[in-house]
Amino acid sequence: MKYSSIFQYAYLVFAVLFAYDGISKWGDGTNAAYISLGLAALAVFMFFFRRRFNKKFQNRNNQS
């Protein structure tokens, strides 16, 4: 399970990259900025979802 805790932080890295991409494309007048910012929001959501899931999984394993 050590790998899953490392990979959950990869979601934050991707969120930062997508946010930077969205901000840099903001003035172009295309919808690409909205797509990048949406993906950044999704990556942040996935980080918190995976973190909560991992904590539940660890608590279940510690009780057994």
Side-chain angles (χ1 to χ4, degrees), residues 4-24:
S4 65
S5 64
I6 293 171
F7 282 119
Q8 76 183 8
Y9 290 104
Y11 287 115
L12 287 181
V13 171
F14 283 114
V16 169
L17 291 174
F18 282 125
Y20 174 75
D21 185 48
I23 291 170
S24 67

Side-chain angles (χ1 to χ4, degrees), residues 3-58:
Y3 293 115
S4 65
S5 64
I6 293 171
F7 282 119
Q8 76 183 8
Y9 290 104
Y11 287 115
L12 287 181
V13 171
F14 283 114
V16 169
L17 291 174
F18 282 125
Y20 174 75
D21 185 48
I23 291 170
S24 67
K25 289 180 180 178
W26 189 262
D28 290 346
T30 62
N31 290 336
Y34 296 121
I35 294 170
S36 294
L37 292 175
L39 288 173
L42 180 66
V44 170
F45 169 76
M46 285 299 297
F47 167 75
F48 287 113
F49 178 78
R50 292 289 296 198
R51 190 171 81 173
R52 183 173 177 230
F53 181 77
N54 284 337
K55 284 183 182 180
K56 280 186 177 182
F57 189 74
Q58 287 175 354

